Amino acid sequence: MSGVTINSIEKSFDQQKILKNVDLEIVDGEFLTLIGPSGCGKTTLLRIIAGLERQTAGSIQIGGQVVDELAPSRRDVAMVFQSYALYPHMTVRENIGLPLTIRRLNFFRRFPVIGRFIPGARAIMREIENEIQTVAATLGLENLLDRKPRQLSGGQRQRVAVGRALVRHPKVFLLDEPLSNLDAALRVQMRAEIIELHKRIGVTFIYVTHDQVEAMTMSDRVVVMMEGDIIQVGTPAELYENPRFVRVATFIGSPKINILDGIVLDDGSLAIGDYVVDRLVGHPAGTKIQVCIRPENIEVSKDQHRGFRCILQRHEYLGSELYLFLKPDSGDENVIMRAPIDQARKIENSEIIYVRAKEKRVLLFDQDGRRIEQNTDNKQIGPSEQHYVAG
Amino acid sequence: MSRVDNQTRDLAAVAMPRRQRSAQSIEAATAYLFVTPATLLLFLLLLGPAASVVVLSFTDWQFGSKTFEFIGFTNYAEMFQDDVFWTSITNTLIYVSVVVVGSVSLGLMIAMLIESRPSFRRVWRTIYFLPVTATLVAMALVFEYILHPAFGPLNEFLGLFGVEGTNWLQNRSTALLTLCGIGIWQAVGFNMVLFLAGLTAIPTDLYDAVAIDGSDSTWDRFCVVVWPLLGPTTMFVVIISCIRSFQVFDTVKVLTDGGPNRATEVLLFTMFSEGFTYFRSGYAAALTTIFLIFVLILTLVQRISIEKRIHYG
């Protein structure tokens, strides 16, 4: 009942278009992440959903109701800010309780000291206190209720900000890069807590981040935005394995996907230098193709004819695996290969090796960056039996 | 041989700390040497004059005379029995409270108005700041004209509505308040600039948070975010305005000369007439001491409040 529908939203500041005709359907109870490089409009979109920013054109529906004319406080959404935006002069208790006090107590009842003597005020205050206690218990903040925000650590502040959002039981949770001010260890922990929270309360979460790890690990669906446009929507796995644009392929995945210049030969095969990667149908000879291979889909080939020549420039040892930085002979940019420790360790720096893509693990894009769908039966050319042994 | 070796080692062990100690004392001496000029100037230019005023207040010294005698608290006793002193204190306190309340609240209001409108912000800021830079003695001429009972624009303007103006500066019941008005006019710009600085320091996220948390009105936003977060600024502005309005003198001297019938007699004006008209320097020094005590108390209040409370990390 509390899905969010975004209908042809546009937003311009002065002459600049920040959002270009954005359409999106967010399902009730879904954890949806908006991801993109800074300046792509993801935060603006979130602020438009919240009502903090007014769209230039288009319409927003929350739970089937058009909310374009509603003030932020009446849209039944809660927001967690990157800076936490806690009220510094209030205790944790007052911070969490504020959405309730401001709604349920009128100005006079809220008045310091005198307010509580106005009939009815005390009952409401007790009720609010109970709700604050409940929320504090869920978030483990019981012992911090009398502290001021400046006496809290980053993670605790973040939790208070979540508590302030939670206390109102909103239909939709909006989170604007809530973890980016935390250190790495705490970020992992808070990530788990937010996932847990989403599972427990089951309302719609819209999460903005530029961190692909957060997007991949937390979301049901991820929306990739670039330059004010949505360029792909899908589950984390879809985005990683089946990017529709080379921009998505490079944005998602770390280390970055390798892009090599391929060319279609006369016989319809696609080659990087001497190395024939694939066979392509429907592309004239001479067409340039961007051949993208993820680092884990590269393997070492002993057979010189079944790979392209590279010089190993350096290793990066990560404990569980190894990154090899290879300089291809073809003059392409450095290629990164992710290899299991025991296999790749024996290769020395400046050694010449031949590498190749694993079968069916190549992503092809045309010169405009659009994905080229490969035939389902695409295979490596040449004899099927290979005796490539790593390192 | 090993014994000799040990001895030298022992000697070295004793000598090392001694050398360190002397190095430390040299460092300390150097530090004092560096501090000396500043300390001297501090005493000579700031603390010295203040102390000599306090000392003078216990004497019967008259300006120009070669001798003086210590007369204990006689000056203070005389002062506390003098009606002029009490009139002067009352007038000063009235002036200070009216100007502080007026200029602080107006300054805050204007600052918030300017802050809420992005266009022409700089122009507005400059316009409101102009009175601060204007020489009050020169501007007093303009005010004398505006307030003139016969041809002043103010009375003519009031006449349009059928209200009969008065001789603002010569009427006992309006003179002090008129000076308050001019005081406010001058102080508003300064306070506004301080409040603008305070307002820009409030993170915009807080306005967003309070909008989502349920405030629909500007008033809610003011109560929940603006006013509490401006606490430190407000404290500073109030104290500064207090101290500045305690020092009111030029408008009084130029426009009313303390009159009519001492209706605008303020502390600094009394001090001036005792010291420079009647040359009773000892008595004037006693008045100055009272003035210094007021300012000192205000400064202490400010220091304590800044250290104790109104500071959000």
Side-chain angles (χ1 to χ4, degrees), chain B residues 139-207:
Chain B
M139 292 314 288
L141 286 173
V142 178
F143 274 107
E144 199 158 32
Y145 163 70
I146 292 173
L147 298 167
H148 195 279
F151 53 79
L154 178 64
N155 279 359
E156 275 183 28
F157 177 74
L158 288 176
L160 292 179
F161 301 95
V163 180
E164 201 178 327
T166 169
N167 187 348
W168 299 97
L169 290 168
Q170 293 307 318
N171 184 333
R172 282 203 57 179
S173 52
T174 58
L176 186 61
L177 287 177
T178 308
L179 290 182
C180 287
I182 298 174
I184 293 174
W185 171 81
Q186 204 216 1
V188 157
F190 189 68
N191 293 350
M192 170 210 72
V193 167
L194 293 174
F195 275 123
L196 272 179
L199 282 172
T200 38
I202 298 178
T204 46
D205 273 358
L206 287 183
Y207 296 116

Side-chain angles (χ1 to χ4, degrees), chain A residues 47 52 72-74 77 79 81 83 85-90 98-99 102-103 107 110 150 164 168, chain B residues 203 205-216 219-220 223-225 228-229 309 311-313:
Chain A
R47 291 172 59 85
L52 295 171
S73 60
R74 305 194 178 268
V77 298
M79 189 154 168
F81 296 85
S83 64
L86 299 177
Y87 308 110
H89 53 289
M90 296 184 183
L98 187 90
I102 212 168
R103 274 151 211 266
F107 174 73
R110 250 187 283 147
R150 66 164 181 278
R164 190 176 62 187
R168 270 167 43 203
Chain B
D205 273 358
L206 287 183
Y207 296 116
D208 292 342
V210 81
I212 287 183
D213 284 343
S215 90
D216 293 328
W219 179 243
D220 272 340
C223 292
V224 176
V225 173
L229 286 171
R309 203 173 67 85
H311 195 267
Y312 312 121

